[in-house]
Amino acid sequence: MTKEMHIVIAGGGPAGLFVAGRLLQLGFSCTVLEKKKVPDPHSRSLGIHPVSLELFYSAGIADPFLEQGIKIRKGIAFWNRDKIGEISFQQCPGKFNYVLSLPQWETEKILEEWVHSLNPETIIRGAEVTNLDQDPASVCLYYLHNNREKKIKADFVVGCDGKNSTVRRLLNIPFMGNPYPDTYVMGDFSDSTPFGNDAAVYLNRDGLIESFPLPGRMRRWVAKTDSFVAAPESEYLHHVIEERTGHSLTSSTNTMMSSFGVQHFLADSYYSGRVLLVGDSAHVVSPIGGQGMNLGWLDAEACVHTISKAAEQIPDIPRLFMEYSNHQKKIARQVARRAEINMWLGRKENSGPMIQLSARLITKKPISNLLARVFTMRGLGSWWF
Protein backbone atom coordinates (compact mmCIF):
# COMPACT_ATOMS: atom_id res chain seq x y z
CA MET A 1 0.00 0.00 0.00
CA THR A 2 1.14 3.56 -0.66
CA LYS A 3 1.23 4.48 3.06
CA GLU A 4 3.94 1.87 3.59
CA MET A 5 6.22 3.39 0.93
CA HIS A 6 8.88 6.00 1.58
CA ILE A 7 10.03 8.64 -0.92
CA VAL A 8 13.14 10.79 -0.49
CA ILE A 9 13.22 14.19 -2.19
CA ALA A 10 16.62 15.76 -2.80
CA GLY A 11 16.12 19.53 -2.75
CA GLY A 12 13.71 21.70 -0.80
CA GLY A 13 13.02 24.51 -3.25
CA PRO A 14 9.60 25.32 -4.75
CA ALA A 15 9.37 22.07 -6.75
CA GLY A 16 10.70 19.78 -4.02
CA LEU A 17 8.43 21.23 -1.36
CA PHE A 18 5.39 20.87 -3.60
CA VAL A 19 6.27 17.24 -4.35
CA ALA A 20 6.60 16.59 -0.61
CA GLY A 21 3.30 18.22 0.29
CA ARG A 22 1.36 16.40 -2.39
CA LEU A 23 2.90 13.03 -1.48
CA LEU A 24 2.05 13.57 2.19
CA GLN A 25 -1.51 14.42 1.22
CA LEU A 26 -1.76 11.12 -0.63
CA GLY A 27 -0.57 9.19 2.41
CA PHE A 28 3.06 8.56 1.46
CA SER A 29 5.90 8.84 3.91
CA CYS A 30 8.62 11.15 2.62
CA THR A 31 11.80 12.99 3.59
CA VAL A 32 13.20 16.19 2.05
CA LEU A 33 16.99 16.58 2.11
CA GLU A 34 17.80 20.28 1.64
CA LYS A 35 21.42 21.43 1.44
CA LYS A 36 20.78 24.99 2.68
CA LYS A 37 20.61 25.36 6.44
CA VAL A 38 18.24 28.34 6.21
CA PRO A 39 15.86 29.54 3.47
CA ASP A 40 17.31 31.85 0.82
CA PRO A 41 16.04 35.43 1.49
CA HIS A 42 16.55 36.66 -2.07
CA SER A 43 13.58 37.16 -4.38
CA ARG A 44 14.50 35.45 -7.61
CA SER A 45 11.46 34.13 -9.48
CA LEU A 46 8.26 36.11 -9.09
CA GLY A 47 5.44 35.06 -11.38
CA ILE A 48 3.00 32.31 -10.40
CA HIS A 49 0.93 31.45 -13.46
CA PRO A 50 -2.70 30.32 -13.52
CA VAL A 51 -1.73 26.69 -14.22
CA SER A 52 0.22 26.67 -10.95
CA LEU A 53 -2.50 28.47 -9.01
CA GLU A 54 -4.90 25.75 -10.15
CA LEU A 55 -2.55 23.11 -8.74
CA PHE A 56 -2.37 25.01 -5.45
CA TYR A 57 -6.16 25.34 -5.39
CA SER A 58 -6.61 21.59 -5.92
CA ALA A 59 -4.11 20.97 -3.11
CA GLY A 60 -6.02 23.35 -0.82
CA ILE A 61 -3.16 25.83 -0.40
CA ALA A 62 -4.06 28.68 -2.78
CA ASP A 63 -5.36 31.10 -0.12
CA PRO A 64 -2.03 32.21 1.45
CA PHE A 65 -0.59 32.84 -2.02
CA LEU A 66 -3.58 34.95 -3.03
CA GLU A 67 -3.48 36.87 0.25
CA GLN A 68 0.20 37.78 -0.04
CA GLY A 69 0.69 38.16 -3.78
CA ILE A 70 -0.12 40.91 -6.30
CA LYS A 71 -2.59 40.00 -9.06
CA ILE A 72 -1.27 41.17 -12.43
CA ARG A 73 -4.28 41.34 -14.74
CA LYS A 74 -2.65 43.02 -17.73
CA GLY A 75 0.63 44.01 -19.30
CA ILE A 76 1.21 47.36 -21.02
CA ALA A 77 3.41 47.27 -24.11
CA PHE A 78 5.64 50.15 -25.27
CA TRP A 79 7.73 50.66 -28.37
CA ASN A 80 10.60 52.77 -27.12
CA ARG A 81 8.59 55.23 -24.98
CA ASP A 82 5.33 55.08 -26.92
CA LYS A 83 2.49 52.90 -25.70
CA ILE A 84 1.39 50.52 -28.45
CA GLY A 85 -1.20 48.37 -26.68
CA GLU A 86 -2.12 46.11 -23.81
CA ILE A 87 -2.36 42.39 -23.21
CA SER A 88 -5.10 41.49 -20.74
CA PHE A 89 -5.32 38.17 -18.91
CA GLN A 90 -8.97 38.83 -18.01
CA GLN A 91 -10.30 36.75 -20.89
CA CYS A 92 -8.12 33.75 -20.12
CA PRO A 93 -10.09 30.62 -19.19
CA GLY A 94 -10.33 29.18 -15.71
CA LYS A 95 -10.65 30.42 -12.18
CA PHE A 96 -7.40 32.42 -12.16
CA ASN A 97 -7.28 34.98 -14.97
CA TYR A 98 -4.14 36.75 -13.78
CA VAL A 99 -0.48 36.16 -12.98
CA LEU A 100 0.37 36.35 -9.29
CA SER A 101 3.52 38.24 -8.32
CA LEU A 102 5.18 36.95 -5.15
CA PRO A 103 8.92 36.81 -4.32
CA GLN A 104 10.28 33.28 -4.38
CA TRP A 105 11.35 33.32 -0.73
CA GLU A 106 7.74 34.02 0.29
CA THR A 107 6.53 31.24 -2.00
CA GLU A 108 8.98 28.81 -0.41
CA LYS A 109 7.94 29.93 3.08
CA ILE A 110 4.28 29.15 2.33
CA LEU A 111 5.15 25.75 0.88
CA GLU A 112 7.49 24.89 3.75
CA GLU A 113 4.86 25.80 6.35
CA TRP A 114 2.37 23.60 4.48
CA VAL A 115 4.73 20.62 4.49
CA HIS A 116 5.52 21.23 8.15
CA SER A 117 1.79 21.24 8.99
CA LEU A 118 1.42 17.83 7.35
CA ASN A 119 4.50 16.34 9.02
CA PRO A 120 6.97 18.52 10.97
CA GLU A 121 9.74 15.91 10.59
CA THR A 122 9.71 15.80 6.79
CA ILE A 123 12.37 18.43 6.02
CA ILE A 124 16.02 17.96 7.00
CA ARG A 125 18.04 21.12 6.38
CA GLY A 126 21.81 21.18 6.03
CA ALA A 127 21.70 17.75 4.36
CA GLU A 128 24.01 17.47 1.33
CA VAL A 129 23.58 14.44 -0.91
CA THR A 130 26.92 12.76 -1.65
CA ASN A 131 26.15 9.39 -3.23
CA LEU A 132 23.41 7.16 -4.49
CA ASP A 133 22.96 3.50 -5.30
CA GLN A 134 19.91 1.51 -6.22
CA ASP A 135 18.67 -1.97 -6.98
CA PRO A 136 15.41 -3.04 -8.66
CA ALA A 137 13.48 -2.68 -5.37
CA SER A 138 14.93 0.38 -3.60
CA VAL A 139 17.28 3.38 -3.60
CA CYS A 140 19.87 4.40 -0.99
CA LEU A 141 20.92 8.03 -0.68
CA TYR A 142 24.04 9.00 1.25
CA TYR A 143 24.28 12.51 2.65
CA LEU A 144 26.29 14.71 5.01
CA HIS A 145 24.46 16.23 7.95
CA ASN A 146 26.14 17.94 10.90
CA ASN A 147 29.51 16.72 9.57
CA ARG A 148 28.40 13.10 9.69
CA GLU A 149 27.71 10.83 6.73
CA LYS A 150 24.28 9.25 6.90
CA LYS A 151 22.25 6.89 4.73
CA ILE A 152 18.55 6.80 3.99
CA LYS A 153 16.67 4.10 2.11
CA ALA A 154 13.68 4.82 -0.11
CA ASP A 155 11.28 3.13 -2.46
CA PHE A 156 11.66 6.08 -4.83
CA VAL A 157 13.85 9.19 -5.01
CA VAL A 158 12.91 12.51 -6.59
CA GLY A 159 15.77 14.80 -7.65
CA CYS A 160 14.73 18.45 -7.19
CA ASP A 161 18.21 19.77 -6.50
CA GLY A 162 18.54 22.39 -9.22
CA LYS A 163 20.50 22.94 -12.40
CA ASN A 164 23.73 21.65 -10.80
CA SER A 165 21.89 18.55 -9.60
CA THR A 166 23.99 16.06 -7.67
CA VAL A 167 21.32 13.41 -8.18
CA ARG A 168 21.41 13.84 -11.96
CA ARG A 169 25.22 13.68 -11.94
CA LEU A 170 25.24 10.53 -9.80
CA LEU A 171 22.85 8.92 -12.28
CA ASN A 172 25.17 9.85 -15.19
CA ILE A 173 22.28 11.45 -17.07
CA PRO A 174 23.59 13.86 -19.76
CA PHE A 175 22.48 17.49 -19.42
CA MET A 176 22.61 18.96 -22.87
CA GLY A 177 22.31 22.56 -23.92
CA ASN A 178 24.15 25.86 -24.01
CA PRO A 179 24.05 29.43 -22.75
CA TYR A 180 22.37 32.14 -24.80
CA PRO A 181 24.24 35.36 -25.62
CA ASP A 182 21.66 37.42 -23.72
CA THR A 183 22.49 39.12 -20.42
CA TYR A 184 20.36 41.21 -18.04
CA VAL A 185 20.47 43.38 -14.93
CA MET A 186 17.57 43.48 -12.49
CA GLY A 187 16.69 45.37 -9.35
CA ASP A 188 13.81 45.84 -6.91
CA PHE A 189 12.77 49.43 -6.15
CA SER A 190 9.98 51.20 -4.35
CA ASP A 191 7.28 51.81 -6.94
CA SER A 192 7.04 55.36 -8.26
CA THR A 193 5.31 54.48 -11.54
CA PRO A 194 1.65 55.05 -12.50
CA PHE A 195 1.27 51.36 -13.43
CA GLY A 196 -0.23 50.14 -10.15
CA ASN A 197 -0.66 46.36 -10.35
CA ASP A 198 0.03 46.23 -14.10
CA ALA A 199 3.20 44.94 -15.71
CA ALA A 200 5.01 46.99 -18.36
CA VAL A 201 7.25 45.84 -21.20
CA TYR A 202 9.35 48.26 -23.27
CA LEU A 203 10.59 46.97 -26.62
CA ASN A 204 13.39 49.47 -27.00
CA ARG A 205 15.96 50.15 -29.69
CA ASP A 206 18.65 49.71 -27.02
CA GLY A 207 17.18 46.54 -25.53
CA LEU A 208 14.25 45.18 -23.54
CA ILE A 209 12.95 46.67 -20.28
CA GLU A 210 10.47 44.71 -18.13
CA SER A 211 8.71 46.03 -15.05
CA PHE A 212 6.58 44.02 -12.61
CA PRO A 213 4.76 44.99 -9.40
CA LEU A 214 5.79 43.38 -6.13
CA PRO A 215 4.05 43.24 -2.76
CA GLY A 216 4.76 46.12 -0.40
CA ARG A 217 4.53 48.79 -3.13
CA MET A 218 7.75 47.59 -4.73
CA ARG A 219 8.55 47.00 -8.38
CA ARG A 220 11.09 44.85 -10.19
CA TRP A 221 12.92 46.24 -13.20
CA VAL A 222 14.78 44.01 -15.68
CA ALA A 223 17.00 45.50 -18.39
CA LYS A 224 18.70 43.82 -21.34
CA THR A 225 22.43 44.58 -21.43
CA ASP A 226 25.02 44.33 -24.18
CA SER A 227 27.26 42.17 -22.00
CA PHE A 228 27.35 40.72 -18.51
CA VAL A 229 27.63 43.41 -15.83
CA ALA A 230 29.43 42.13 -12.76
CA ALA A 231 28.24 43.54 -9.39
CA PRO A 232 25.86 46.16 -10.86
CA GLU A 233 25.11 49.28 -8.83
CA SER A 234 21.62 50.75 -8.56
CA GLU A 235 22.84 53.92 -10.32
CA TYR A 236 23.62 51.84 -13.40
CA LEU A 237 20.03 50.62 -13.62
CA HIS A 238 18.76 54.15 -12.86
CA HIS A 239 20.58 55.36 -15.97
CA VAL A 240 19.42 52.52 -18.23
CA ILE A 241 15.77 52.81 -17.18
CA GLU A 242 15.66 56.57 -17.63
CA GLU A 243 17.41 56.42 -21.01
CA ARG A 244 15.04 53.81 -22.41
CA THR A 245 11.72 54.62 -20.71
CA GLY A 246 11.96 58.19 -19.46
CA HIS A 247 11.09 57.05 -15.95
CA SER A 248 13.38 58.13 -13.11
CA LEU A 249 14.28 55.82 -10.22
CA THR A 250 16.50 58.32 -8.38
CA SER A 251 13.90 58.89 -5.64
CA SER A 252 13.13 55.17 -5.27
CA THR A 253 14.56 52.92 -2.57
CA ASN A 254 16.54 49.95 -3.86
CA THR A 255 16.46 46.61 -2.01
CA MET A 256 18.09 44.20 -4.49
CA MET A 257 20.43 44.32 -7.49
CA SER A 258 21.79 41.47 -9.56
CA SER A 259 22.82 40.49 -13.05
CA PHE A 260 22.31 37.23 -14.88
CA GLY A 261 22.84 35.36 -18.10
CA VAL A 262 20.40 32.81 -19.52
CA GLN A 263 20.77 29.19 -20.51
CA HIS A 264 18.87 26.28 -21.99
CA PHE A 265 19.64 22.77 -20.81
CA LEU A 266 17.60 19.57 -20.94
CA ALA A 267 18.28 16.23 -19.28
CA ASP A 268 18.55 13.33 -21.71
CA SER A 269 16.12 11.43 -19.48
CA TYR A 270 14.03 12.47 -16.49
CA TYR A 271 14.47 9.12 -14.78
CA SER A 272 16.83 6.25 -14.08
CA GLY A 273 15.63 3.14 -12.30
CA ARG A 274 13.54 4.31 -9.34
CA VAL A 275 14.71 7.94 -9.48
CA LEU A 276 12.78 10.78 -11.13
CA LEU A 277 14.02 14.29 -11.95
CA VAL A 278 11.83 17.34 -11.41
CA GLY A 279 12.29 21.07 -12.06
CA ASP A 280 15.68 22.62 -12.74
CA SER A 281 17.45 19.29 -12.21
CA ALA A 282 15.68 18.19 -15.42
CA HIS A 283 15.67 21.42 -17.42
CA VAL A 284 16.82 25.02 -17.40
CA VAL A 285 14.96 27.58 -19.50
CA SER A 286 15.34 31.34 -19.85
CA PRO A 287 13.65 33.26 -17.01
CA ILE A 288 12.38 35.85 -19.48
CA GLY A 289 8.64 35.20 -19.40
CA GLY A 290 8.76 33.79 -15.87
CA GLN A 291 7.89 30.19 -16.72
CA GLY A 292 10.75 28.15 -15.22
CA MET A 293 9.45 27.82 -11.65
CA ASN A 294 5.96 27.06 -12.92
CA LEU A 295 7.34 24.39 -15.23
CA GLY A 296 8.85 22.79 -12.13
CA TRP A 297 5.43 22.62 -10.48
CA LEU A 298 3.94 20.99 -13.57
CA ASP A 299 6.73 18.40 -13.34
CA ALA A 300 6.04 17.99 -9.64
CA GLU A 301 2.34 17.22 -10.05
CA ALA A 302 3.05 14.79 -12.89
CA CYS A 303 5.77 13.16 -10.77
CA VAL A 304 3.39 12.70 -7.82
CA HIS A 305 0.76 11.05 -10.01
CA THR A 306 3.42 8.84 -11.60
CA ILE A 307 4.70 7.68 -8.21
CA SER A 308 1.14 7.07 -7.01
CA LYS A 309 0.50 4.80 -9.98
CA ALA A 310 3.90 3.12 -9.70
CA ALA A 311 3.27 2.26 -6.04
CA GLU A 312 0.25 0.21 -7.09
CA GLN A 313 1.70 -1.13 -10.34
CA ILE A 314 5.27 -2.17 -9.50
CA PRO A 315 5.84 -4.16 -12.73
CA ASP A 316 4.86 -1.07 -14.75
CA ILE A 317 7.44 1.26 -13.18
CA PRO A 318 9.73 1.44 -16.27
CA ARG A 319 6.78 2.25 -18.55
CA LEU A 320 5.25 4.81 -16.16
CA PHE A 321 8.56 6.58 -15.56
CA MET A 322 9.32 6.66 -19.29
CA GLU A 323 5.90 8.19 -20.00
CA TYR A 324 6.55 10.83 -17.35
CA SER A 325 9.95 11.61 -18.86
CA ASN A 326 8.75 11.82 -22.46
CA HIS A 327 5.75 14.01 -21.67
CA GLN A 328 7.52 16.46 -19.39
CA LYS A 329 10.43 16.78 -21.82
CA LYS A 330 7.94 17.73 -24.53
CA ILE A 331 6.48 20.44 -22.27
CA ALA A 332 9.97 21.73 -21.40
CA ARG A 333 10.80 22.09 -25.09
CA GLN A 334 7.59 24.10 -25.65
CA VAL A 335 8.37 26.39 -22.73
CA ALA A 336 11.95 26.87 -23.94
CA ARG A 337 10.70 27.90 -27.39
CA ARG A 338 8.31 30.43 -25.86
CA ALA A 339 11.11 31.87 -23.74
CA GLU A 340 13.35 32.13 -26.81
CA ILE A 341 10.70 34.19 -28.61
CA ASN A 342 10.48 36.53 -25.62
CA MET A 343 14.25 37.01 -25.66
CA TRP A 344 14.35 37.47 -29.42
CA LEU A 345 11.78 40.29 -29.24
CA GLY A 346 13.85 42.02 -26.58
CA ARG A 347 17.11 42.20 -28.52
CA LYS A 348 17.99 45.61 -29.85
CA GLU A 349 18.85 44.24 -33.30
CA ASN A 350 15.18 43.29 -33.64
CA SER A 351 13.89 46.85 -33.47
CA GLY A 352 13.20 47.57 -37.13
CA PRO A 353 9.92 48.79 -38.68
CA MET A 354 8.58 45.29 -39.45
CA ILE A 355 9.12 44.13 -35.88
CA GLN A 356 7.48 47.32 -34.62
CA LEU A 357 4.45 46.69 -36.84
CA SER A 358 4.26 43.08 -35.65
CA ALA A 359 4.45 44.20 -32.01
CA ARG A 360 1.56 46.61 -32.55
CA LEU A 361 -0.54 43.89 -34.20
CA ILE A 362 -0.06 41.28 -31.48
CA THR A 363 -1.26 43.72 -28.81
CA LYS A 364 -4.60 44.07 -30.59
CA LYS A 365 -7.53 41.69 -30.26
CA PRO A 366 -8.01 38.85 -31.07
CA ILE A 367 -4.27 38.14 -31.32
CA SER A 368 -3.62 39.65 -27.88
CA ASN A 369 -6.08 37.16 -26.34
CA LEU A 370 -4.14 34.27 -27.88
CA LEU A 371 -0.84 35.79 -26.72
CA ALA A 372 -2.22 36.09 -23.18
CA ARG A 373 -3.03 32.37 -23.19
CA VAL A 374 0.48 31.54 -24.37
CA PHE A 375 2.09 33.82 -21.81
CA THR A 376 0.09 32.22 -18.98
CA MET A 377 1.26 28.73 -20.07
CA ARG A 378 -2.02 27.49 -21.47
CA GLY A 379 -1.97 24.71 -24.05
CA LEU A 380 0.99 22.81 -22.60
CA GLY A 381 -1.11 19.79 -21.68
CA SER A 382 -1.67 17.84 -18.46
CA TRP A 383 -1.91 14.09 -18.91
CA TRP A 384 -2.28 12.82 -15.35
CA PHE A 385 -6.05 13.41 -14.90
Side-chain angles (χ1 to χ4, degrees):
M1 297 296 292
T2 58
K3 291 185 179 181
E4 298 174 354
M5 305 196 81
H6 186 72
I7 294 90
V8 175
I9 300 152
L17 291 170
F18 188 69
V19 170
R22 291 288 291 119
L23 287 172
L24 289 169
Q25 284 185 326
L26 292 176
F28 288 92
S29 168
C30 64
T31 299
V32 176
L33 302 177
E34 168 53 44
K35 182 178 179 180
K36 294 175 184 174
K37 293 183 178 180
V38 295
D40 192 334
H42 300 293
S43 59
R44 300 181 301 280
S45 297
L46 293 177
I48 303 178
H49 288 276
V51 290
S52 299
L53 291 172
E54 288 167 359
L55 294 180
F56 296 166
Y57 181 77
S58 296
I61 59 170
D63 286 350
F65 291 96
L66 301 179
E67 291 164 4
Q68 297 180 38
I70 296 292
K71 298 173 183 176
I72 302 176
R73 300 186 184 275
K74 70 176 179 181
I76 304 169
F78 294 84
W79 188 266
N80 293 321
R81 299 185 183 185
D82 299 326
K83 180 179 176 179
I84 58 173
E86 298 178 352
I87 295 176
S88 172
F89 306 132
Q90 299 278 74
Q91 303 305 314
C92 289
K95 181 179 179 66
F96 304 103
N97 55 357
Y98 47 81
V99 174
L100 196 74
S101 173
L102 188 67
Q104 184 174 330
W105 70 267
E106 294 191 40
T107 292
E108 291 185 10
K109 182 181 178 184
I110 293 171
L111 292 172
E112 185 161 348
E113 288 174 350
W114 170 50
V115 172
H116 188 80
S117 72
L118 294 169
N119 185 341
E121 298 180 353
T122 296
I123 302 170
I124 302 176
R125 285 196 170 271
E128 182 178 359
V129 173
T130 58
N131 211 340
L132 175 156
D133 59 57
Q134 61 177 319
D135 57 40
S138 65
V139 188
C140 277
L141 272 184
Y142 301 84
Y143 64 99
L144 286 174
H145 186 244
N146 294 331
N147 297 318
R148 294 179 59 190
E149 185 170 65
K150 299 183 179 182
K151 180 175 76 170
I152 187 169
K153 189 174 181 179
D155 294 281
F156 301 105
V157 165
V158 183
C160 301
D161 50 343
K163 68 177 182 180
N164 298 315
S165 170
T166 299
V167 170
R168 186 189 64 240
R169 177 178 57 79
L170 292 171
L171 295 171
N172 294 314
I173 295 177
F175 201 45
M176 297 172 289
N178 55 270
Y180 295 104
D182 307 83
T183 56
Y184 302 84
V185 166
M186 71 177 181
D188 293 347
F189 294 82
S190 55
D191 194 357
S192 58
T193 72
F195 298 136
N197 289 349
D198 296 336
V201 176
Y202 293 81
L203 300 173
N204 189 274
R205 66 175 67 88
D206 293 321
L208 175 76
I209 297 288
E210 293 184 327
S211 178
F212 306 101
L214 295 170
R217 297 184 179 180
M218 299 292 291
R219 181 166 284 269
R220 170 160 298 177
W221 292 88
V222 181
K224 178 81 172 63
T225 57
D226 291 335
S227 58
F228 185 78
V229 179
E233 299 289 339
S234 60
E235 290 76 13
Y236 173 83
L237 195 52
H238 288 177
H239 175 73
V240 171
I241 298 301
E242 189 159 11
E243 282 252 311
R244 298 184 195 176
T245 73
H247 181 75
S248 174
L249 295 177
T250 54
S251 62
S252 297
T253 303
N254 172 239
T255 59
M256 183 278 292
M257 285 292 304
S258 68
S259 52
F260 61 95
V262 291
Q263 303 169 319
H264 174 219
F265 286 90
L266 187 67
D268 186 55
S269 174
Y270 284 19
Y271 81 101
S272 177
R274 283 176 168 250
V275 184
L276 291 167
L277 300 180
V278 163
D280 287 353
S281 64
H283 46 68
V284 173
V285 300
S286 168
I288 302 302
Q291 300 184 85
M293 182 168 64
N294 295 270
L295 178 58
W297 286 322
L298 292 178
D299 287 347
E301 184 71 7
C303 167
V304 168
H305 283 265
T306 298
I307 287 175
S308 184
K309 290 179 181 179
E312 303 293 344
Q313 306 170 40
I314 299 297
D316 291 334
I317 288 174
R319 176 183 62 81
L320 292 169
F321 280 23
M322 182 178 290
E323 287 176 357
Y324 162 81
S325 177
N326 290 342
H327 191 269
Q328 297 311 115
K329 281 180 68 176
K330 180 180 178 181
I331 290 177
R333 291 190 182 101
Q334 289 179 270
V335 170
R337 284 194 293 270
R338 294 178 181 188
E340 286 170 357
I341 293 172
N342 291 333
M343 288 191 301
W344 184 84
L345 286 171
R347 293 169 183 159
K348 66 181 183 180
E349 59 264 30
N350 298 322
S351 58
M354 291 304 296
I355 302 298
Q356 180 180 0
L357 177 61
S358 299
R360 290 182 181 276
L361 288 174
I362 64 177
T363 58
K364 309 300 180 186
K365 295 180 180 178
I367 300 176
S368 65
N369 290 340
L370 175 62
L371 187 62
R373 291 172 63 96
V374 171
F375 186 83
T376 54
M377 302 183 72
R378 295 297 184 183
L380 292 174
S382 302
W383 58 274
W384 54 82
F385 295 111

